[in-house]
Amino acid sequence: LSSFQGGAESHAQSIANINNNDPWSVTVVGGVTNIVAGGLDIWDEGGVVEDGFVFVYIPVTGDFDYRLHVRSMTTDSSASGGAKCGLMARENLTPGSPHVFCAVTPPPPGKNLYQALGRDLPGYGSCWAGPNYPTAPYPNAWLRLRHEGDVFKYYWGKNGYTWQQFSVHDTT
């Protein structure tokens, strides 16, 4: 199981439990969203694409520019290899859906990195969408995901104002 504490722009949120059998909870207190969740991963397990995670989301169509402040993220040792949280654009709520994911992993024993992932076709595995992943500076880990036309741009930051693009994913 992993625990995430952070804040995002204020919007009505929906929650989807996508193929996840682990205990989970989502609470919002004072504008801070706390998520405790587990699941298989957002990848593929042994060649079988069955995403398993809790998805707190805002339905959006068209272009967007979202930012997320990840203040803390903890994990138990069973989830440290695949635990992550972040900003995801997803075609639908089915396991194996195409998506892009601007993520951060937990501090040690986790990988403690920003990551860019994506899946272009339904039912296929996710893949890395960039070669360089900077270290996440908790409690000041910021993520930004921009969508313009067919292009998604992944950014990391330390303060919510200054951004470094670390990957781009063209869906054409």
Side-chain angles (χ1 to χ4, degrees), residues 144-160:
R144 180 179 180 190
L145 184 62
R146 290 180 71 182
H147 177 236
E148 298 168 334
D150 294 325
V151 176
F152 290 88
K153 295 179 181 177
Y154 303 74
Y155 299 85
W156 68 271
K158 297 179 182 179
N159 58 21

Side-chain angles (χ1 to χ4, degrees), residues 26-43:
V26 177
T27 58
V28 180
V29 178
V32 175
T33 302
N34 293 292
I35 302 170
V36 177
L40 292 172
D41 201 352
I42 304 163
W43 196 252

Side-chain angles (χ1 to χ4, degrees), residues 1 8 20 32 55 60-61 63 85 91 93 96 98 101 129 143 146 148 150 153 164:
L1 290 178
N20 172 41
V32 175
F55 190 34
V60 176
T61 57
D63 294 346
C85 71
E91 186 174 288
L93 299 177
F101 188 23
L143 299 164
R146 290 180 71 182
E148 298 168 334
D150 294 325
K153 295 179 181 177
Q164 297 292 321

Side-chain angles (χ1 to χ4, degrees), residues 7-8 12 21 25 49 70-73 83 100 135 141 145 148 165:
N21 295 319
S25 67
V49 178
V70 182
R71 294 181 181 143
S72 66
M73 187 176 176
V100 295
T135 301
L145 184 62
E148 298 168 334
Q165 182 178 324

Side-chain angles (χ1 to χ4, degrees), residues 40-51 123-126:
L40 292 172
D41 201 352
I42 304 163
W43 196 252
D44 61 14
E45 293 296 319
V48 178
V49 178
E50 293 187 1
D51 297 343
Y124 284 78
S126 296

Side-chain angles (χ1 to χ4, degrees), residues 72-75 80 105-113 136 138:
S72 66
M73 187 176 176
T74 57
T75 185
S80 63
T105 61
K111 296 176 183 174
N112 197 44
L113 296 172
Y138 293 101

